[in-house]
Amino acid sequence: MSETIASRPLPHRPQTGLLAWEATIGYISAQYSLDAMLTIHAYPAADKTVRWGAAATWGQNGEKVRDLPTLAATLRELWKLVDQHHVIFEHSEALVKRPANYSDNEWLDNDTKIILERVLQVMATLYGQDWLLVLVYQPVESADVRFQARLIAPGDNMKTSGHGPSMRDACRDLYRNAAHHFMARSGKSLDEIL
């Protein structure tokens, strides 16, 4: 007589590493602390390249990394620290949500990558070494504000923000909201700046 083993199919792995981070922060928020958030920073380095930093925080817990050369490396290294120092997923079904085992080109979808690169290019072109991009994800009920994006150029007193349900939407909103700053600083249209 053979035994029947009941099993449920495993949930699908998130399509990108960023979506896996969103799922992970959502899991942390639901299981451990409602204030869970992922914060990402992009800023210029002395060699005129972009450097990245990120932090995952919840309750009294948190891990952070900084001064890494790519967003992919930043999100990958942040997960390594979280995974080393904290037990997040208590059930094997949830393990598939982890932001791990994504290749460098799997961390963002193409549309998000394009708008993020556009924002970074304009900031580098117009503000040189004097800018900061901050992206914050929190799994709040109102989808329109789950992602917050802020641009800061201290020397020019420029601060502007955007928000949306995804990083792509928040960056698009930020880009629209910053357009008048960009055009005033450069004296050109956005198409002419790049």
Side-chain angles (χ1 to χ4, degrees):
M1 180 182 222
S2 64
E3 281 186 44
T4 303
I5 299 173
S7 67
R8 293 183 298 191
L10 286 176
H12 293 288
R13 176 182 188 238
Q15 191 172 7
T16 66
L18 180 62
L19 291 175
W21 259 113
E22 290 177 32
T24 298
I25 294 296
Y27 184 87
I28 292 170
S29 177
Q31 298 296 318
Y32 302 109
S33 183
L34 291 174
D35 66 348
M37 76 173 67
L38 173 67
T39 305
I40 300 168
H41 295 93
Y43 46 90
D47 64 1
K48 298 185 180 178
T49 60
V50 174
R51 287 289 181 254
W52 295 88
T57 57
W58 64 100
Q60 299 298 316
N61 300 296
E63 297 294 340
K64 65 182 176 179
V65 295
R66 47 178 295 112
D67 295 328
L68 292 164
T70 66
L71 179 57
T74 301
L75 295 177
R76 184 181 301 117
E77 292 305 311
L78 181 60
W79 174 250
K80 285 181 185 175
L81 285 177
V82 169
D83 196 34
Q84 286 172 1
H85 300 127
H86 309 275
V87 175
I88 301 297
F89 298 109
E90 297 176 4
H91 306 286
S92 60
E93 295 89 22
L95 284 174
V96 75
K97 295 178 183 178
R98 316 178 282 158
N101 303 317
Y102 287 89
S103 65
D104 284 350
N105 64 344
E106 293 180 317
W107 286 91
L108 296 176
D109 64 88
N110 198 48
D111 289 342
T112 302
K113 195 178 308 181
I114 288 169
I115 189 64
L116 183 58
E117 286 173 0
R118 180 171 290 162
V119 169
L120 294 173
Q121 286 174 342
V122 170
M123 291 303 288
T125 300
L126 295 181
Y127 298 97
Q129 297 292 103
D130 187 32
W131 60 271
L132 171 66
L133 172 64
V134 181
L135 301 161
V136 178
Y137 174 75
Q138 277 192 290
V140 295
E141 269 189 55
S142 178
D144 287 347
V145 294
R146 285 188 185 144
F147 255 103
Q148 300 287 322
R150 287 187 298 261
L151 276 178
I152 303 164
D156 199 38
N157 253 350
M158 192 273 282
K159 293 179 186 173
T160 193
S161 61
H163 55 82
S166 68
M167 182 187 286
R168 178 188 63 238
D169 295 319
C171 285
R172 281 184 181 153
D173 191 42
L174 175 70
Y175 194 71
R176 280 191 297 272
N177 294 339
H180 68 280
H181 292 289
F182 296 158
M183 290 187 288
R185 180 156 175 103
S186 69
K188 300 176 182 178
S189 73
L190 288 177
D191 292 333
E192 294 173 309
I193 294 170
L194 297 175

